Amino acid sequence: MAKPSPSLMDKIVSLCKRRGFVFQASEIYGGMGNTYDYGPLGVELKRRIKEAWWNRTVTGRSDVVGLDSAILQSPRVWEVSGHVGGFSDPMVDCKQCKGRFRADKLEDARCLEKPSKRPGECSGELTEPREFNLMFQTHVGPVAETGNVVYLRPETAQGIFLNFLNVMNAARTKPPFGIAQIGKSFRNEITPGNFVFRMLEFEQAEMEFFVPPDDGMKWYEYWKQARFDWYVDLGVRPEKLRMREHSAKELAHYAEATSDVEYEYPFGWGELEGVAYRTDFDLRRHSEGSGTDLLYFDPQTKERYTPHVVEPAGGVDRMALTFMIDAYEEEELEKDTRVVLHFHPEIAPTTVAVFPLVKKDGMPERARELEAELRLARLTTFYDEKGAIGRRYRRQDEVGTPWCVTVDGDTLKEDVVTVRDRDSMQQVRVPTQELRAWIENSIRGWKRQPRSVVG
Ligand code: GAP
């Protein structure tokens, strides 16, 4: 396996724009930094990733339920949680180029002058580090006053803690149990973002798992493994993933232990998801701050306790970027090179493309009928009749469609279609009555193939 080169990132960014996965936000106005819009295929990829996460984390288990809490909460929430006082990065400014950089990440930064150097290595002097809070503020009501400040949430987790009692009582559940949610979070990130890896506005998929205090470390180990496995099960190469335990110095203000699921991106190893043991920090702080006891009373032991929390917290945009990078291959063929995204079929934006071999003799009509049948069966489909069949296959390879179905003369006579596999490029004949079952079985049986060269 060849080592990834930095240009892989450029190729991904270009593919994303060309094929409608991700666009620069406000592009026609010159673009807005660290902000992106998802196009037709990107939105589908993200939707399917979120579905796969929800299926594994919530509906696939009996001990986790869902929530959708508000982005705007009482400002007291963020004071009590420690985000107003502690959710900040130490920043330094270069007096010459006016660039602002994270003091703890200077080795990864480049100053704004050309040729660019590391901040501090050019002739510009750096200021002393200053704490820069990452929360966006806005105001409720027509006048901006200190009394009506609200924050855009920087994590979805707090909405879960606030609803701990509501959910436990309504769902008639008890520890160990989890509350999961997927939603937007906002951070005033001013360091360069590496495309959708670091954005101002992003989606998180988080779950707070409430457990008896003595079981905290046991569940921490459990969720570390479970989250690592999820990525491998969805096709990510295990050798590109690692679990990294935080040192005491790195730990967030609320965590007793944290491990990151890291991926080896073209720009180096980076955090894909964090699994944190938050102890009873948040429930205790909100009990004190609100005056409402966020406790569990065990009717059997007559014991009353504040549950401890283990939190797997992933970013959906980082998941999408990771799945794309990991799936990308430039495969050398006899006469040319094909670009393929080897997505797991469960997250591929399109599951099956349907083509008529030629645009005549009733083939387009039969192909459209078949496509509609597959769509009715809740498979995501795409119909294409433009251009040579080989080019149509390549266009689907490039966006990761696992199977292409071609309607030809035999289909009209014998009701058989040709199904072409994205990964092996092999073709099989399948009777149309068996097509849906064939595809559904193939989704279940899909296995990651060894790859050749990554771009
Ligand atoms: N509730 C805990 C929490 O928010 P975090 O490690 O700060 O922990 C969790 O964030 C995940 O959210 C990260 O692992 C990452 O995938 C994603 N994330 C964080 N900041 C992000 C940003 N600025 N842009 C995109 N994703 C981000």
Side-chain angles (χ1 to χ4, degrees):
M1 178 73 62
K3 254 210 139 352
S5 69
S7 68
L8 171 59
M9 204 62 195
D10 297 334
K11 289 176 185 170
I12 295 282
V13 173
S14 151
L15 172 64
C16 279
K17 173 159 186 199
R18 198 160 25 88
R19 299 306 308 272
F21 282 92
V22 181
F23 306 122
Q24 176 72 62
S26 305
E27 191 180 12
I28 60 170
Y29 286 97
M32 160 118 182
N34 293 350
T35 313
Y36 293 91
D37 299 332
Y38 285 83
L41 289 179
V43 85
E44 209 52 46
L45 173 65
K46 261 179 72 166
R47 192 185 66 77
R48 304 204 78 200
I49 291 171
K50 288 185 275 186
E51 209 170 87
W53 186 88
W54 197 263
N55 287 343
R56 178 68 74 91
T57 314
V58 185
T59 44
R61 304 177 61 101
S62 57
D63 54 0
V64 180
V65 291
L67 179 76
D68 187 359
S69 69
I71 287 171
L72 302 178
Q73 301 281 353
S74 159
R76 284 283 294 142
V77 171
W78 309 107
E79 289 159 20
V80 170
S81 68
H83 284 85
V84 171
F87 191 57
S88 54
D89 286 336
M91 306 298 294
V92 291
D93 293 297
C94 174
K95 290 183 182 168
Q96 183 157 311
C97 74
K98 308 294 178 211
R100 179 166 284 171
F101 312 97
R102 266 178 70 168
D104 55 342
K105 295 258 185 292
L106 285 180
E107 65 282 7
D108 303 334
R110 287 284 171 274
C111 78
L112 306 183
E113 299 216 310
K114 298 280 176 265
S116 67
K117 296 186 173 159
R118 287 211 180 93
E121 287 180 1
C122 65
S123 52
E125 192 192 334
L126 297 179
T127 60
E128 284 298 307
R130 279 178 297 186
E131 291 299 319
F132 180 84
N133 196 289
L134 291 173
M135 278 197 297
F136 280 106
Q137 278 186 23
T138 185
H139 295 86
V140 177
V143 187
E145 292 167 327
T146 38
N148 59 11
V149 164
V150 285
Y151 300 98
L152 302 190
R153 68 178 176 202
E155 60 170 12
T156 64
Q158 295 302 321
I160 297 179
F161 296 125
L162 302 179
N163 282 289
F164 162 73
L165 277 186
N166 283 339
V167 173
M168 187 170 64
N169 293 336
R172 298 201 294 146
T173 184
K174 59 180 191 162
F177 80 100
I179 306 177
Q181 81 169 321
I182 298 179
K184 286 262 176 162
S185 291
F186 304 81
R187 293 184 191 176
N188 200 353
E189 307 269 11
I190 55 170
T191 45
N194 279 321
F195 198 37
V196 297
F197 183 83
R198 191 179 306 284
M199 299 197 286
L200 302 180
E201 175 186 337
F202 54 98
E203 254 183 311
Q204 288 188 307
E206 299 198 288
M207 199 268 290
E208 309 302 315
F209 201 72
F210 301 92
V211 302
D214 291 343
D215 294 347
M217 277 319 272
K218 182 183 88 184
W219 282 105
Y220 173 61
E221 294 303 329
Y222 170 89
W223 281 109
K224 271 164 49 177
Q225 189 64 49
R227 293 308 305 146
F228 189 94
D229 292 347
W230 183 75
Y231 291 103
V232 176
D233 293 348
L234 280 179
V236 178
R237 289 166 290 169
E239 64 272 22
K240 305 288 285 181
L241 289 167
R242 71 179 184 195
M243 210 72 212
R244 191 182 67 80
E245 195 82 31
H246 281 209
S247 66
K249 214 169 76 195
E250 276 177 282
L251 288 175
H253 61 276
Y254 50 72
E256 189 170 298
T258 299
S259 278
D260 289 341
V261 181
E262 290 192 336
Y263 183 80
E264 192 180 17
Y265 295 97
F267 47 86
W269 287 94
E271 173 189 344
L272 166 58
E273 164 159 356
V275 181
Y277 177 25
R278 295 179 79 128
T279 67
D280 58 356
F281 178 88
D282 303 272
L283 290 184
R284 204 165 26 78
R285 289 290 282 259
H286 286 306
S287 296
E288 289 157 13
S290 66
T292 301
D293 286 335
L294 302 176
L295 300 168
Y296 170 67
F297 173 69
D298 187 331
Q300 261 145 28
T301 61
K302 309 280 181 243
E303 203 194 340
R304 202 179 288 276
Y305 65 83
T306 307
H308 280 213
V309 170
V310 176
E311 172 199 68
V316 181
D317 310 274
R318 280 193 201 173
M319 291 173 188
L321 177 66
T322 307
F323 285 123
M324 282 201 77
I325 290 174
D326 198 73
Y328 185 92
E329 182 185 26
E330 288 174 11
E331 190 181 356
E332 297 296 340
L333 303 175
E334 237 167 65
K335 291 197 183 125
D336 61 352
T337 307
R338 71 167 183 148
V339 172
V340 201
L341 288 177
H342 294 278
F343 286 135
H344 189 297
E346 259 188 53
I347 57 163
T350 305
T351 312
V352 50
V354 184
F355 310 146
L357 181 63
V358 288
K359 250 195 304 183
K360 56 181 188 185
D361 300 336
M363 290 180 211
E365 291 76 11
R366 185 70 186 112
R368 281 198 186 275
E369 262 173 31
L370 275 177
E371 192 230 343
E373 279 168 30
L374 295 173
R375 197 157 4 100
L376 262 181
R378 294 176 178 272
L379 293 166
T380 49
T381 60
F382 180 76
Y383 174 84
D384 190 7
E385 58 181 23
K386 292 187 205 83
I389 196 84
R391 285 180 65 85
R392 281 182 261 166
Y393 285 149
R394 292 298 167 82
R395 283 182 60 76
Q396 292 308 311
D397 289 343
E398 200 185 35
V399 296
T401 305
W403 297 286
C404 294
V405 169
T406 302
V407 167
D408 56 22
D410 287 349
T411 315
L412 304 176
K413 283 187 257 149
E414 297 162 22
D415 253 335
V416 229
V417 287
T418 302
V419 183
R420 185 259 195 185
D421 182 85
R422 172 198 68 197
D423 299 335
S424 65
M425 292 192 287
Q426 281 176 357
Q427 305 191 356
V428 287
R429 305 283 280 165
V430 178
T432 52
Q433 315 86 284
E434 291 167 25
L435 183 59
R436 173 186 163 183
W438 188 96
I439 292 168
E440 286 166 350
N441 282 337
S442 304
I443 295 173
R444 280 190 289 274
W446 185 85
K447 293 239 166 5
R448 186 168 19 86
Q449 304 293 323
R451 308 241 188 92
S452 51
V453 181
V454 178

